[in-house]
Every structure is written in structure tokens, then in C-alpha cells.
Amino acid sequence: TTLCYLAVDSAKGKYAHMLFNELFEDYSNALRPVEDTDKVLNVTLQISLSQIKDMDERNQILSAYLWIRQSWYDAYLKWDKDKYDGLDSIRIPSNLVWRPDIVLYNKADDDFSEPVNTNVVLRYDGKITWDAPAITKSSCVVDVSYFPFDSQQCNLTFGSWTYNGNQVDIINSLDSGDLSDFIEDVEWEIHGMPAVKNVITYGCCSEPYPDVTFTLILKRKSSFYIFNLLLPCILISFLAPLGFYLPADSGEKVSLGVTVLLALTVFQLMVAEIMPPSENVPLIGKYYIATMTMITASTALTIIIMNLHHCGSEAKPVPQWAKVVILDYMSKIFFVYDVGENCTSPKREKEEECRLEGDDGCQRRHKVVRSPVSTRNDDSSLKEKLNGNWNKSYGVHGENVRETVNCCSCYKMLIKNIEYIANCVRDHKANRAKGIEWKKVAKVMDRFFMWIFFIMVFFMSVLIIGKAA
């Protein structure tokens, strides 16, 4: 049996040589293979997408690995298969036959080399099928307005470079490109590759020029960019409102805002490196700009609030409207307590201290501070009591009158000194109370802006993530 198969193969090989010599004895691949020069030669085109090698958004170039199949009928390459022992097809180098000069119109490659010189399949009825692989680089208009949740449409336009529609007509064999052998891409999803035939008349020539345009519909897989560009930015953005919660005496409030701003600037530069320099700002770039603007505003507000916090005794008193709006109402809304109070349960601790000290101690500790007028009255009564006591003690002794007068003058001087010290203490307490009020105003404003900026960051994050749904 093996000998029979070898004999058949050798016989077919002999007939193939005979056929090849007879077909190409007077054949020329330079002219269009039609019997009538006025007749149109139809070329059937089919594109199979195998792999997307690269999508260069910055230079707007799509690199793809394609299988290009072209088929046509050659009027001078026919034979009777019965004369050649039933030989119905042969495979020969493609440069031996006439080939249509179909090229990629929107090619964006510097290499203008010839197509791959693969074999063609020649049938007995003159049909030639040419399958050739190609790595194409085509120009693609990239719209990055919704990056990284964007979709792109890239066109691959094929047509004859020299033959017009009256000489070579292109027919697309399918309504779309073949995606059955497509290798899944890590960055892009393929949502279709429809094919449309166009007949265009250019300004230079009156003849029509047909072409077939394959539109590659791509959808970006955004998971990589969410975890590497978007999520870190969201986490960093939530640090900006916490700068308002940081204690003013720590000295790190402004440093935190500047550090967050610099971190976002780094991410912004990373996005700018991969995006084309167009007027369409990508969605993630808009989010970065909005977040950086918010952080800049928060840093500026932090500086202003720091000035309020460090208002000393030389500052003006807190305005009455600020006392009512900020110290009375807003402090209760945002749970801001006085300096030294516990931020969790100040009233409970005061009641506990009163219970331990007793009612008398609590009353003494919570006694209303007397006014300067009552203090002066107490001082005058103190003088009268002192004078009265000394008069009672020394009035009956005539020999000690002079000593009594001297002692009274000493006590008058002592009382004046006590009054001076009391006035100084009162002034110091008033100035200290003024500074405490300004610190509380600053603390209330910190809490107010902290919640405002937390809400802003939350809504911006929801909007940007909502685009991924």
C-alpha cells in the first residue's frame, strides 16, 4: 500500500511540473489577467484579526496582527484537470503571478516594504487565493475624553493604489472582519469589526476608486487604571479634609496639604505622559484637577484658620455675631467643646466631680465670677473692717495713736498693691479668655470645613466611579 501511495504522489508531482512549465511558459505577471481589457477584475477581500499588538494613544497609532486573504480569477492560468491526472490545484510563489496592489490607505508605518511573499493557491478554473499575514500600523483618531472608561473606533481602509474601479473592483466577502481566531487582549475588548464598501471619486481623477473600510470597535478594560491611577488618588484625596482635624499646635496642618498636593501632581504627570496633547482633557485628568483645586483651597483655608487660632491678647474681641453663630450654634452642631473639656462626655465628668466634691465644693467651683465693681466694693469694705478693727483695738490707748496711724498707712499701701495685682489678674484672665474664644472659633471653622470637603471628595469619587458602571 505504501508503494502505491508513493507512486501516486510521484505521478502527481510529475504532472505538477508539467502543468507549471506549460502555464508559465508565456505568462507575464506584469499585466492585469483579463481577456478583455475593458472588463473589470473582481478581487474578494477578507480580513481576519489575530491580535492587537499595541494602541499608542499619544501618537494615535494602532498596531495589529492581521491575516489578509485576497482571491481573484486569472484568465491565463486555467487547465483541464483530467489531462493532469485530476490535479485540481497547485501552490506556487506569489511573485510569479499577477497580484492586486491593495494597500492599507491609513498606514502610519515608516516601513514601505513589499507584502510577505507567501505562496498562492492556484485552482484549475483560474481562481487564485492569496493568504498573507501582516503587522499593520494604522492611524486612529483617539478620543480620550472618558479615559479610562473610553471606547475607540479605529478604521482599516484597504484599496487599490493604482487601479480604479473600472479596472479592479474590491468586494468584501463578509459583512465584518473575522474574529474567530482573535487572541484575547489584556487591555482592550473587541465589540465588533463591521466592514463597509465605499466608492470615492478623488479630485485628481474622474474615475471611481472603491475601498473597503473595517471599523474596529474597542472598549478599554479599566481595571488596571482604576487600581493604579484612580484608587490611590481617591485615598489621597480623603487625606486633605483630615488636615482640618489635625490639631493646630502640631504645626503639620499646612505640610499635610502641600504633601497631598505634590502626590496628586505626580499622578497627574503620569496621566499626561500617556495621553495625547489634545484639547480634550481625559475624565481622570479632570478629577485630578478638581481634587488639586480642592486641596489648594483647603490649604489656603488652613492658613487663614491658623491665623485665627494664634490670635493673642492684642487681637480684637470676637464679634457678637460670631459668638452667636459660631460659638453658640455651630459648636453644638459639630460637637466642638471648650479647651480642656473632654470631647466625648464633658457634662458627665463635671457631674462626677461635683458628686465627689459635694454640693458645697461644686457650688464654690461654679460660683459666678464677680464683676470689677463688686470687687471694688469688697475692697472698700475690707478697708472699713480693717480700720474699725484697729480703732477698736487701739482706740482706748492714747499712747499708741501714732503707731496706729503708721500701721494704717502701711495697710493702705498693702491694699493698693493688692488692688493692682487683682487688676493685673483680671486683665490677664480677660486676655486669656479672648485668646480662648478665638481658638474655639478656629476649631469650629476647622470642623465645618472638614465636613464640607469630606462631602465634596465623596461626591467627586462617586461621580468618577459611576462612569465605570
Side-chain angles (χ1 to χ4, degrees), residues 45-47 171-178 192-197 212-215:
L45 179 65
Q46 179 181 343
I47 300 296
I171 301 172
N172 49 333
S173 61
L174 300 174
D175 294 335
S176 64
D178 186 11
M193 192 178 178
V196 177
K197 180 181 177 180
V212 177
T213 300
F214 295 86
T215 304

Side-chain angles (χ1 to χ4, degrees), residues 27-202:
Y27 182 80
S28 175
N29 61 358
L31 299 176
R32 190 166 55 96
V34 290
E35 296 177 350
D36 186 1
T37 56
D38 294 333
K39 187 177 180 180
V40 179
L41 179 64
N42 295 322
V43 177
T44 303
L45 179 65
Q46 179 181 343
I47 300 296
S48 298
L49 178 63
S50 176
Q51 185 181 2
I52 295 177
K53 298 184 67 65
D54 183 38
M55 167 64 89
D56 189 355
E57 291 92 348
R58 187 169 185 83
N59 296 315
Q60 302 188 77
I61 294 177
L62 171 67
S63 299
Y65 181 44
L66 305 176
W67 295 345
I68 303 174
R69 167 172 288 189
Q70 304 175 55
S71 61
W72 64 95
Y73 284 89
D74 195 315
Y76 301 107
L77 296 177
K78 299 179 181 180
W79 70 90
D80 187 0
K81 62 180 180 179
D82 295 332
K83 293 182 180 180
Y84 297 94
D85 195 22
L87 185 64
D88 59 351
S89 64
I90 58 174
R91 285 157 178 81
I92 56 177
S94 60
N95 58 352
L96 297 179
V97 300
W98 177 90
R99 296 177 301 186
D101 58 344
I102 295 178
V103 297
L104 180 63
Y105 280 177
N106 56 332
K107 188 175 182 180
D109 193 4
D110 296 335
D111 186 13
F112 291 97
S113 59
E114 293 290 329
V116 180
N117 192 19
T118 57
N119 290 340
V120 297
V121 179
L122 177 60
R123 288 173 53 87
Y124 68 94
D125 56 354
K127 183 179 180 181
I128 298 177
T129 302
W130 180 27
D131 287 331
I135 297 177
T136 61
K137 291 185 177 181
S138 57
S139 59
C140 178
V141 180
V142 179
D143 185 10
V144 293
S145 300
Y146 294 96
F147 175 86
F149 311 112
D150 56 329
S151 299
Q152 305 296 336
Q153 293 187 0
C154 296
N155 294 330
L156 299 171
T157 303
F158 292 90
S160 176
W161 191 253
T162 57
Y163 293 104
N164 57 49
N166 298 325
Q167 297 170 332
V168 174
D169 190 17
I170 302 176
I171 301 172
N172 49 333
S173 61
L174 300 174
D175 294 335
S176 64
D178 186 11
L179 301 175
S180 58
D181 297 321
F182 177 72
I183 300 174
E184 192 71 21
D185 191 70
V186 295
E187 186 179 359
W188 297 95
E189 296 177 356
I190 305 299
H191 287 185
M193 192 178 178
V196 177
K197 180 181 177 180
N198 304 306
V199 179
I200 302 175
T201 302
Y202 296 97

Side-chain angles (χ1 to χ4, degrees), residues 349-359 362 365-366:
E349 286 196 355
K350 287 182 179 180
E351 292 174 358
E352 185 69 21
E353 291 177 2
C354 290
R355 188 179 63 81
L356 293 175
E357 293 180 4
D359 295 336
C362 187
R365 193 160 56 85
H366 293 88

Side-chain angles (χ1 to χ4, degrees), residues 216-394:
L216 189 60
I217 303 174
L218 304 173
K219 178 72 171 65
R220 191 190 302 272
K221 297 178 181 179
S222 57
S223 300
F224 173 81
Y225 299 98
I226 289 176
F227 285 101
N228 291 277
L229 291 179
L230 189 59
L231 189 59
C233 175
I234 293 175
L235 296 178
I236 292 173
S237 300
F238 275 100
L239 289 177
L242 291 178
F244 292 106
Y245 192 77
L246 197 65
D249 295 330
S250 64
E252 297 294 333
K253 294 171 71 70
V254 179
S255 300
L256 178 62
V258 174
T259 304
V260 172
L261 186 62
L262 291 176
L264 288 177
T265 304
V266 173
F267 283 100
Q268 176 70 19
L269 292 176
M270 291 175 60
V271 174
E273 287 180 356
I274 61 177
M275 291 293 101
S278 63
E279 294 182 356
N280 295 329
V281 180
L283 184 64
I284 191 172
K286 294 177 181 178
Y287 178 74
Y288 284 162
I289 292 172
T291 306
M292 292 168 66
T293 304
M294 184 195 68
I295 294 174
T296 304
S298 67
T299 306
L301 289 172
T302 300
I303 295 173
I304 296 173
I305 294 173
M306 287 285 288
N307 286 328
L308 294 178
H309 176 82
H310 290 288
C311 284
S313 59
E314 294 82 6
K316 295 180 180 180
V318 178
Q320 186 62 31
W321 65 268
K323 289 182 180 180
V324 175
V325 176
I326 299 176
L327 297 182
D328 292 342
Y329 293 101
M330 293 180 64
S331 62
K332 295 178 182 178
I333 295 174
F334 297 105
F335 302 101
V336 178
Y337 303 99
D338 293 333
V339 179
E341 285 186 326
N342 190 353
C343 60
T344 56
S345 57
K347 294 183 179 180
R348 186 178 301 174
E349 286 196 355
K350 287 182 179 180
E351 292 174 358
E352 185 69 21
E353 291 177 2
C354 290
R355 188 179 63 81
L356 293 175
E357 293 180 4
D359 295 336
D360 295 336
C362 187
Q363 291 176 0
R364 287 196 304 270
R365 193 160 56 85
H366 293 88
K367 188 179 292 183
V368 180
V369 180
R370 292 177 296 179
S371 62
V373 178
S374 63
T375 306
R376 293 194 195 96
N377 295 331
D378 293 342
D379 293 340
S380 60
S381 63
L382 178 61
K383 290 180 187 178
E384 294 175 357
K385 288 180 180 180
L386 288 173
N387 293 330
N389 290 334
W390 281 105
N391 289 332
K392 290 179 181 178
S393 300
Y394 297 98

